[in-house]
Amino acid sequence: MAYQESLSALADPTRRQIFEAIADAPRPVGELAQSMPVSRPAVSQHLKVLSDAGLVMCRVDGARRIYAVRPEGLAQLRMWLDRHWANVMDRFAEEINGKEGLDD
């Protein structure tokens, strides 16, 4: 999935909270809903958005669905951030090196 979908999915504070909860440990919807400020159906809807963005996966365990973070789900977003971070750091190094040359 493209990094835009990940950014869009994680832009919502409740979805971010859900994502962070399952990043700590895989959890069923019911357990997630107990610790969220929204209803169980709303948690399910948020999980669908996260799943469609490729950020979470689901496995069936009897009658329960257990949600977990897809490790590769953040890869596109991380590559995008790393590229921009590298550019920022390169410009910072150029700025520092340019100022050091002026002091000599």
Side-chain angles (χ1 to χ4, degrees):
M1 294 281 141
Y3 73 89
Q4 297 97 327
E5 292 177 40
S6 297
L7 280 175
S8 180
L10 293 171
D12 181 87
T14 302
R15 275 196 291 273
R16 238 182 356 264
Q17 188 178 1
I18 291 168
F19 182 82
E20 289 172 6
I22 62 175
D24 289 339
R27 301 172 200 271
V29 176
E31 185 180 324
L32 283 167
Q34 291 174 357
S35 63
M36 297 294 147
V38 295
S39 67
R40 184 180 175 139
V43 169
S44 292
Q45 290 173 345
H46 285 298
L47 285 165
K48 174 148 177 36
V49 172
L50 291 167
S51 180
D52 289 348
L55 295 171
V56 302
M57 60 187 172
C58 175
R59 72 176 166 78
V60 177
D61 181 23
R64 300 185 322 161
R65 304 182 116 215
I66 310 296
Y67 287 86
V69 169
R70 285 184 66 237
E72 64 277 7
L74 291 174
Q76 291 287 331
L77 178 57
R78 181 163 182 189
M79 286 176 16
W80 180 77
L81 289 169
D82 286 347
R83 185 186 71 204
H84 289 289
W85 183 249
N87 290 340
V88 167
M89 294 308 292
D90 288 345
R91 281 191 231 108
F92 180 71
E94 289 169 7
E95 183 70 22
I96 295 299
N97 291 333
K99 290 189 183 220
E100 287 176 1
L102 294 175
D103 292 340
D104 291 338

